[in-house]
């Protein structure tokens, strides 16, 4: 019995878990938006109607190993890392990228960051004030031909 206990206790516990990063866009305007998020694990996009919201979810696998009998420290591992977000205001051919903003421009951005165990959420609120940061981009007429045919 002691030998069985010793063998079971000496084995490492191994597994795989998912660390999730949720990129949520909350559109508080009546504008039609198209969002593209670039992360280190993948890129994703979504269409967002006026006064609606969308979530883009990114997952990074984390492999762990720790002994059954402690002490041990639980390492959450790495999360998907956001690179850049592009927001296209299809309603009036304007475009926003979050690359660099002045301090005054940052005051127009309303965001919320929620930390959870293995799940992080970033909420970005698109308001009329935020739309003033968008720049005109007539190349959208070619990028979104289906929308502008209407």
């Amino acid at each position: 019995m002691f030998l069985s206990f010793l063998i079971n206790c000496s084995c490492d516990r191994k597994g795989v878990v998912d660390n999730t990063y949720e990129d949520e866009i909350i559109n508080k305007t009546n504008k039609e938006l198209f969002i593209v998020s670039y992360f280190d694990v993948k890129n994703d996009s979504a269409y967002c109607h006026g006064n609606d919201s969308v979530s883009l979810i990114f997952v990074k696998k984390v492999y762990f190993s720790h002994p059954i009998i402690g002490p041990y420290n639980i390492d959450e591992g790495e999360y998907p890392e956001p690179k850049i977000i592009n927001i296209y205001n299809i309603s009036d051919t304007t475009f926003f990228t979050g690359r660099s903003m002045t301090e005054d421009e940052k005051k127009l951005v309303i965001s919320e960051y929620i930390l959870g165990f293995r799940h992080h959420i970033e909420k970005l609120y698109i308001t009329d004030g935020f739309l003033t940061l968008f720049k005109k981009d007539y190349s959208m007429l070619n990028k979104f031909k289906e929308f502008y045919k209407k």
Side-chain angles (χ1 to χ4, degrees):
M1 187 160 82
F2 178 73
L3 182 60
S4 173
F5 177 74
L6 184 62
I7 291 171
N8 285 333
C9 291
S10 65
C11 296
D12 286 348
R13 184 169 166 243
K14 297 179 181 182
V16 179
V17 293
D18 293 337
N19 281 350
T20 305
Y21 191 106
E22 185 175 345
D23 203 9
E24 186 174 355
I25 307 296
I26 301 162
N27 187 0
K28 297 284 194 179
T29 70
N30 62 352
K31 305 293 185 186
E32 303 292 320
L33 305 175
F34 188 77
I35 293 95
V36 182
S37 288
Y38 297 93
F39 275 69
D40 63 342
V41 291
K42 72 173 187 168
N43 305 328
D44 204 356
S45 59
Y47 182 80
C48 186
H49 296 284
N51 298 304
D52 200 0
S53 64
V54 295
S55 290
L56 300 173
I57 297 175
F58 301 90
V59 177
K60 186 176 261 188
K61 299 260 183 227
V62 176
Y63 299 89
F64 68 88
S65 173
H66 58 77
I68 292 177
I69 295 180
Y72 55 85
N73 185 14
I74 297 176
D75 181 16
E76 277 194 54
E78 294 183 13
Y79 283 82
E81 185 179 327
K83 299 295 183 187
I84 196 161
I85 183 170
N86 293 332
I87 305 171
Y88 299 92
N89 180 353
I90 300 175
S91 300
D92 64 2
T93 62
T94 56
F95 166 78
F96 174 81
T97 184
R99 291 184 189 221
S100 62
M101 292 186 285
T102 66
E103 290 302 315
D104 287 337
E105 289 174 333
K106 288 179 184 178
K107 292 176 184 175
L108 298 172
V109 177
I110 301 170
S111 64
E112 181 179 5
Y113 194 73
I114 302 168
L115 295 174
F117 185 68
R118 302 214 183 272
H119 192 139
H120 293 182
I121 302 170
E122 184 165 6
K123 295 182 179 187
L124 181 63
Y125 295 85
I126 309 297
T127 62
D128 290 327
F130 189 101
L131 289 177
T132 63
L133 300 176
F134 285 51
K135 306 290 183 220
K136 209 59 155 155
D137 181 11
Y138 290 109
S139 70
M140 290 173 56
L141 296 172
N142 290 327
K143 290 178 188 171
F144 303 103
K145 289 179 184 177
E146 299 82 26
F147 182 84
Y148 294 116
K149 283 182 183 178
K150 296 177 185 179

